Amino acid sequence: MSEKMKSYIEEAEKALLHTYNRYQIVLEKGDGVYLYDIDGKKYLDFVAGIAVFALGYNNKEYNDTLKAQIDKVLHTSNYYYNVPAIEAAKKLKEVSKMDRVFFTNSGAEAVEGALKAARKYAFLKDGKTDHEIIAMNHSFHGRTFGALSVTGNPHYREAFEPMIGNIKFADLNDFESVLSQVNDKTCAIILETVQGEGGIYPATEEFLTKVRKLCDERDILLILDEIQCGMGRTGYMFAWQKYGVKPDIMTTAKALGCGVPVGAFLMTEKVGANSLVAGDHGTTYGGNPFACAAVGKVLDLFKQDNIIENVNEVAPYLEERLDELVGRYDFITCRRGMGLMQGLVFDRPVADVINKALENGLILINAGPNIIRFVPPLVITKENVDDMIGILDSCLRSI
């Protein structure tokens, strides 16, 4: 490590709140599927800012759109209309087949809005405020109080109790466990279509179909969190589209802005007409012209550059190469995931492997202590996969 990098890290440790155990590098720039630190070292990136940089780094058309918007206006407020927000909402409705959009600044805020919409929907039906929400064990929805309340990991919640209350937990892909929690107070069921932080667990078609049918029968709202697994990562614009199980409310963020902090929650017209109204919800920065210019351009580039088609071409090859590692090493127990959202499960902690990979120019991240997660830019090639496997394989040989 250079003295320059060491100095920056020491200053960060003095100035920044210590809520992250950061890797000991200072990143400076990116290009394509590569990142560079301040010493000029090059890294193949299979994290993409945690599933954010779908288009890769330094995409000229994306950059030029944001530069042009800076010269127009960055922010107005939601008391006025702005063209980028209107255009972004129209494009997002088109790819999601949802009906109403509320732009937020983050995924956690999108979840907060989704929970409020569900409770308001139930309140308007019976005037009561004791409604319950069912979430999934091992889920992750964010760090704010509402999102944390439906995050199915007690360790994340325990120091911050009490949570918002009236939350129950069931098991993903176990319909009977969901059914056992349902009662007349249940107003919503929330789950990630593919659990991310909880270990890369996709929901099954059978499970989602049964939950959807249950929600229809009892007028319970189905909330699908597509913050990490959405925006093309699974080979569909949103993972639920693979199963044809449409949610009543959906959250999205991360790759929605490809680097600009922006999220959204979307809903059907039924929910939109019977939930949040003027004065119920708001945000100063959400939906501002700059963020929405990013969203609009991202959605344009997904179509123009055939991003989802590339995912469906490269993902099977990534699965094949990861499966080779499963067969080669006894300490790797399995691979699981969808599209370019994959995980290798180990019988031991993976921190040392991730650190060795970093030393050798490969950026990886975990999903729990024993799982290496692979969420690269969606523009990766098979050659990039080969390069990643080569570095990772050399690191695994020394375990």
Side-chain angles (χ1 to χ4, degrees):
M1 181 187 300
S2 69
E3 287 301 316
K4 178 182 178 183
M5 188 178 295
K6 183 178 179 182
S7 175
Y8 271 116
I9 290 173
E10 289 175 351
E11 185 61 34
E13 289 302 308
K14 294 175 185 176
L16 298 175
L17 187 63
H18 196 114
T19 55
Y20 293 94
N21 293 317
R22 291 180 169 89
Y23 295 101
Q24 298 299 292
I25 58 171
V26 180
L27 296 172
E28 181 177 43
K29 64 181 181 180
D31 190 56
V33 297
Y34 296 97
L35 286 167
Y36 299 80
D37 67 24
I38 58 174
D39 293 335
K41 183 177 177 178
K42 182 179 179 181
Y43 301 84
L44 176 59
D45 180 20
F46 263 65
V47 175
I50 314 183
V52 168
F53 267 90
L55 300 173
Y57 301 96
N58 198 25
N59 181 293
K60 187 176 188 307
E61 290 187 58
Y62 173 83
N63 290 355
D64 287 347
T65 295
L66 295 186
K67 291 172 185 175
Q69 189 60 49
I70 287 172
D71 288 336
K72 293 178 181 178
V73 62
L74 283 175
H75 178 72
T76 54
S77 99
N78 283 304
Y79 285 113
Y80 313 98
Y81 300 102
N82 73 77
V83 171
I86 296 167
E87 292 183 344
K90 180 181 179 182
K91 292 171 184 176
L92 191 52
K93 282 176 55 179
E94 181 182 333
V95 297
S96 68
K97 308 306 179 188
M98 303 296 281
D99 300 310
R100 296 286 173 173
V101 181
F102 185 102
F103 287 111
T104 65
N105 305 289
S106 67
E109 288 179 49
V111 172
E112 296 287 337
L115 298 177
K116 284 180 68 176
R119 287 203 163 165
K120 182 65 184 294
Y121 178 87
F123 174 80
L124 290 176
K125 287 198 297 181
D126 60 20
K128 296 179 180 178
T129 57
D130 60 350
H131 301 102
E132 297 176 352
I133 295 171
I134 299 172
M136 300 297 124
N137 288 314
H138 308 296
S139 62
F140 183 86
H141 296 286
R143 303 284 190 171
T144 50
F145 263 95
L148 196 58
S149 297
V150 294
T151 288
N153 186 330
H155 173 71
Y156 291 148
R157 303 192 309 265
E158 59 189 12
F160 307 103
E161 298 282 358
M163 296 282 104
I164 64 171
N166 287 12
I167 307 297
K168 294 182 173 181
F169 289 94
D171 293 325
L172 186 73
N173 295 332
D174 183 348
F175 179 70
E176 291 304 318
S177 77
V178 175
L179 192 59
S180 69
Q181 300 285 18
V182 173
N183 59 41
D184 291 341
K185 295 181 180 180
T186 307
C187 70
I189 298 172
I190 182 170
L191 61 103
E192 298 157 275
T193 320
V194 182
Q195 287 188 341
E197 304 293 325
I200 318 297
Y201 285 101
T204 65
E205 183 173 0
E206 179 185 12
F207 176 74
L208 276 182
T209 301
K210 287 182 176 179
V211 171
R212 176 70 272 176
K213 186 172 184 289
L214 172 67
C215 289
D216 290 338
E217 290 170 350
R218 305 206 187 187
D219 199 21
I220 296 168
L221 299 184
L222 176 59
I223 304 172
L224 292 183
D225 182 335
E226 293 260 348
I227 290 166
Q228 186 168 160
C229 65
M231 291 299 296
R233 184 147 295 277
T234 64
Y236 295 79
M237 184 58 78
F238 297 102
W240 61 263
Q241 292 171 334
K242 177 180 180 179
Y243 308 116
V245 178
K246 186 177 180 179
D248 301 293
I249 304 174
M250 181 187 81
T251 61
T252 181
K254 290 191 180 286
L256 180 66
C258 282
V260 170
V262 60
F265 62 97
L266 297 86
M267 58 187 69
T268 62
E269 189 62 39
K270 169 189 168 184
V271 180
N274 297 282
S275 60
L276 302 174
V277 298
D280 280 345
H281 199 57
T283 169
T284 297
Y285 287 113
N288 75 30
F290 184 74
C292 288
V295 173
K297 191 60 179 179
V298 166
L299 293 171
D300 287 346
L301 289 171
F302 260 71
K303 183 184 295 185
Q304 173 189 303
D305 295 344
N306 301 311
I307 297 298
I308 292 176
E309 288 82 352
N310 188 66
V311 173
N312 287 320
E313 180 181 345
V314 176
Y317 187 68
L318 174 62
E319 292 178 353
E320 177 186 324
R321 296 305 315 271
L322 292 175
D323 286 341
E324 290 174 9
L325 297 181
V326 176
R328 189 173 304 149
Y329 297 103
D330 291 341
F331 51 77
I332 305 178
T333 60
C334 70
R335 173 196 59 81
R336 58 176 175 251
M338 284 175 59
L340 293 181
M341 184 176 180
Q342 297 289 332
L344 281 183
V345 184
F346 287 63
D347 66 3
R348 62 196 69 181
V350 297
D352 286 347
V353 178
I354 291 173
N355 282 317
K356 286 179 183 176
L358 191 64
E359 291 173 7
N360 287 279
L362 171 64
I363 294 179
L364 297 171
I365 197 171
N366 65 312
N370 294 352
I371 301 168
I372 296 180
R373 176 177 12 175
F374 303 84
V375 283
L378 303 187
V379 295
I380 63 161
T381 65
K382 293 179 180 179
E383 289 75 19
N384 298 143
V385 172
D386 287 338
D387 291 343
M388 181 276 291
I389 292 293
I391 297 172
L392 179 57
D393 190 28
S394 68
C395 296
L396 294 174
R397 289 192 212 112
S398 61
I399 288 183

